[in-house]
Protein backbone atom coordinates (compact mmCIF):
# COMPACT_ATOMS: atom_id res chain seq x y z
CA UNK A 1 0.00 0.00 0.00
CA UNK A 2 1.07 3.57 -0.67
CA UNK A 3 0.03 4.87 2.76
CA UNK A 4 -0.21 3.67 6.34
CA UNK A 5 -2.64 0.85 6.96
CA UNK A 6 -5.84 2.32 8.42
CA UNK A 7 -9.18 1.11 9.74
CA UNK A 8 -8.34 -2.55 10.19
CA UNK A 9 -10.79 -5.33 10.87
CA UNK A 10 -9.90 -8.94 11.60
CA UNK A 11 -11.71 -12.20 12.32
CA UNK A 12 -9.69 -15.14 13.64
CA UNK A 13 -9.92 -18.67 14.97
CA UNK A 14 -7.42 -19.11 17.78
CA UNK A 15 -6.46 -22.61 19.00
CA UNK A 16 -4.55 -22.40 22.29
CA UNK A 17 -2.55 -24.69 24.55
CA UNK A 18 -2.23 -23.89 28.27
CA UNK A 19 1.30 -24.59 29.53
CA UNK A 20 0.74 -23.02 32.98
CA UNK A 21 -2.15 -21.38 34.87
CA UNK A 22 -3.19 -18.25 32.92
CA UNK A 23 -0.51 -18.85 30.26
CA UNK A 24 -1.03 -20.14 26.71
CA UNK A 25 0.72 -20.66 23.41
CA UNK A 26 -1.68 -19.91 20.56
CA UNK A 27 -2.02 -19.91 16.85
CA UNK A 28 -4.44 -17.81 14.87
CA UNK A 29 -5.75 -18.02 11.37
CA UNK A 30 -8.37 -15.88 9.73
CA UNK A 31 -9.19 -12.86 7.66
CA UNK A 32 -7.89 -9.33 8.14
CA UNK A 33 -8.63 -6.30 6.00
CA UNK A 34 -8.00 -2.56 6.02
CA UNK A 35 -9.05 0.58 4.17
CA UNK A 36 -7.27 1.03 0.81
CA UNK A 37 -5.84 -2.49 0.76
CA UNK A 38 -6.75 -5.67 -1.06
CA UNK A 39 -6.19 -8.32 1.58
CA UNK A 40 -7.73 -11.36 3.11
CA UNK A 41 -5.62 -14.11 4.64
CA UNK A 42 -3.71 -13.69 7.91
CA UNK A 43 -1.98 -16.23 10.12
CA UNK A 44 0.09 -15.93 13.28
CA UNK A 45 1.12 -17.30 16.64
CA UNK A 46 2.09 -16.06 20.06
CA UNK A 47 2.27 -16.47 23.77
CA UNK A 48 0.00 -14.83 26.33
CA UNK A 49 0.17 -14.82 30.13
CA UNK A 50 -1.43 -13.06 33.08
CA UNK A 51 -0.57 -12.86 36.77
CA UNK A 52 -3.32 -12.35 39.33
CA UNK A 53 -2.54 -9.68 41.89
CA UNK A 54 -2.09 -11.06 45.44
CA UNK A 55 -4.98 -9.97 47.62
CA UNK A 56 -6.96 -8.76 44.59
CA UNK A 57 -7.30 -11.86 42.41
CA UNK A 58 -10.02 -10.32 40.22
CA UNK A 59 -7.26 -8.07 38.82
CA UNK A 60 -4.44 -9.35 36.62
CA UNK A 61 -1.45 -7.90 34.83
CA UNK A 62 -0.32 -9.65 31.72
CA UNK A 63 0.37 -9.36 28.09
CA UNK A 64 1.18 -11.05 24.84
CA UNK A 65 3.99 -11.44 22.34
CA UNK A 66 2.52 -12.01 18.89
CA UNK A 67 3.68 -12.66 15.32
CA UNK A 68 1.37 -11.97 12.36
CA UNK A 69 1.79 -12.69 8.65
CA UNK A 70 -0.70 -10.77 6.52
CA UNK A 71 -1.06 -11.22 2.74
CA UNK A 72 -1.19 -7.62 1.45
CA UNK A 73 -1.52 -6.36 -2.14
CA UNK A 74 2.09 -6.64 -3.26
CA UNK A 75 3.87 -6.98 0.10
CA UNK A 76 4.24 -9.82 2.53
CA UNK A 77 3.48 -8.13 5.86
CA UNK A 78 5.30 -9.49 8.90
CA UNK A 79 4.65 -7.96 12.31
CA UNK A 80 5.82 -8.67 15.83
CA UNK A 81 3.72 -7.06 18.53
CA UNK A 82 4.18 -6.69 22.30
CA UNK A 83 1.01 -5.83 24.24
CA UNK A 84 1.05 -5.44 28.04
CA UNK A 85 -2.41 -5.10 29.60
CA UNK A 86 -4.41 -5.10 32.81
CA UNK A 87 -7.67 -7.05 33.21
CA UNK A 88 -10.53 -7.27 35.69
CA UNK A 89 -12.66 -10.39 36.16
CA UNK A 90 -16.13 -9.10 37.04
CA UNK A 91 -17.24 -11.08 40.15
CA UNK A 92 -20.95 -10.87 39.24
CA UNK A 93 -20.18 -12.05 35.65
CA UNK A 94 -17.20 -14.42 35.99
CA UNK A 95 -17.28 -15.36 32.30
CA UNK A 96 -16.57 -11.73 31.27
CA UNK A 97 -13.07 -10.24 31.60
CA UNK A 98 -12.57 -6.72 30.21
CA UNK A 99 -9.02 -5.49 29.67
CA UNK A 100 -7.06 -2.42 28.58
CA UNK A 101 -3.47 -2.01 27.50
CA UNK A 102 -0.95 -0.65 25.08
CA UNK A 103 0.71 -2.27 22.09
CA UNK A 104 3.97 -1.73 20.25
CA UNK A 105 4.45 -2.93 16.67
CA UNK A 106 7.71 -3.98 15.10
CA UNK A 107 7.28 -4.34 11.34
CA UNK A 108 9.55 -6.64 9.37
CA UNK A 109 8.39 -5.36 5.98
CA UNK A 110 8.48 -2.28 3.71
CA UNK A 111 5.13 -0.92 4.93
CA UNK A 112 5.46 2.46 6.69
CA UNK A 113 4.08 2.96 10.17
CA UNK A 114 4.02 6.48 11.63
CA UNK A 115 2.78 5.48 15.09
CA UNK A 116 3.94 2.04 16.21
CA UNK A 117 2.43 2.42 19.70
CA UNK A 118 -1.28 2.52 20.51
CA UNK A 119 -4.06 1.68 22.95
CA UNK A 120 -6.30 -1.37 23.06
CA UNK A 121 -9.58 -2.09 24.86
CA UNK A 122 -11.32 -5.43 24.82
CA UNK A 123 -13.13 -8.16 26.63
CA UNK A 124 -13.07 -11.93 26.79
CA UNK A 125 -16.25 -13.95 27.10
CA UNK A 126 -15.70 -17.52 28.29
CA UNK A 127 -18.16 -20.21 27.26
CA UNK A 128 -17.30 -23.03 29.62
CA UNK A 129 -13.69 -24.00 30.33
CA UNK A 130 -12.47 -24.34 26.75
CA UNK A 131 -14.15 -21.76 24.47
CA UNK A 132 -13.39 -18.04 24.54
CA UNK A 133 -14.70 -15.19 22.40
CA UNK A 134 -12.52 -12.07 22.37
CA UNK A 135 -13.43 -8.64 21.01
CA UNK A 136 -10.90 -5.82 20.82
CA UNK A 137 -10.73 -2.26 19.52
CA UNK A 138 -7.49 -0.37 18.88
CA UNK A 139 -6.72 3.35 18.78
CA UNK A 140 -3.85 5.70 17.93
CA UNK A 141 -1.23 3.45 16.26
CA UNK A 142 -3.96 1.66 14.34
CA UNK A 143 -7.73 1.98 14.31
CA UNK A 144 -9.45 -1.33 14.16
CA UNK A 145 -11.77 -4.00 15.49
CA UNK A 146 -10.76 -7.62 15.96
CA UNK A 147 -12.87 -10.62 16.88
CA UNK A 148 -11.55 -14.09 17.64
CA UNK A 149 -13.00 -17.39 18.75
CA UNK A 150 -10.59 -19.56 20.69
CA UNK A 151 -10.46 -23.15 21.84
CA UNK A 152 -8.18 -24.26 24.69
CA UNK A 153 -6.62 -27.70 24.31
Amino acid sequence: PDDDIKEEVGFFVRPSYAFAPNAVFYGRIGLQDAKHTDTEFAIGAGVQAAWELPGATDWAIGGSLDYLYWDLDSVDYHEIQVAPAVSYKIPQLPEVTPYAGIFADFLLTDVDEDEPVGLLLGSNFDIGDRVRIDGQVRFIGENGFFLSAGYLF
Side-chain angles (χ1 to χ4, degrees):
D2 296 332
D3 204 355
D4 280 348
I5 297 170
K6 300 288 185 191
E7 299 177 22
E8 296 177 50
V9 61
F11 300 97
F12 293 94
V13 173
R14 188 175 147 167
S16 303
Y17 173 75
F19 61 91
N22 295 325
V24 297
F25 290 117
Y26 62 87
R28 63 179 178 160
I29 186 168
L31 304 174
Q32 185 163 323
D33 204 357
K35 188 175 183 179
H36 305 301
T37 63
D38 180 20
T39 65
E40 291 183 7
F41 178 73
I43 190 168
V47 61
Q48 181 176 349
W51 294 269
E52 294 176 351
L53 298 179
T57 57
D58 293 334
W59 289 93
I61 296 173
S64 64
L65 175 63
D66 191 59
Y67 166 78
L68 177 70
Y69 165 79
W70 190 12
D71 185 20
L72 291 176
D73 299 329
S74 59
V75 175
D76 287 339
Y77 178 95
H78 299 270
E79 172 187 68
I80 294 175
Q81 187 171 95
V82 177
V86 62
S87 65
Y88 178 70
K89 190 171 223 42
I90 300 170
Q92 298 83 357
L93 296 167
E95 58 276 342
V96 176
T97 307
Y99 58 89
I102 60 173
F103 64 87
D105 289 333
F106 302 94
L107 299 184
L108 309 173
T109 187
D110 293 332
V111 176
D112 291 331
E113 185 172 39
D114 290 337
E115 298 179 45
V117 176
L119 300 175
L120 58 88
L121 300 172
S123 185
N124 296 320
F125 180 74
D126 293 332
I127 304 169
D129 293 335
R130 300 214 177 265
V131 177
R132 171 172 283 179
I133 306 297
D134 181 73
Q136 185 179 103
V137 293
R138 293 174 171 229
F139 308 95
I140 302 176
E142 59 191 49
N143 294 324
F145 172 75
F146 300 89
L147 184 65
S148 66
Y151 185 82
L152 181 63
F153 289 93

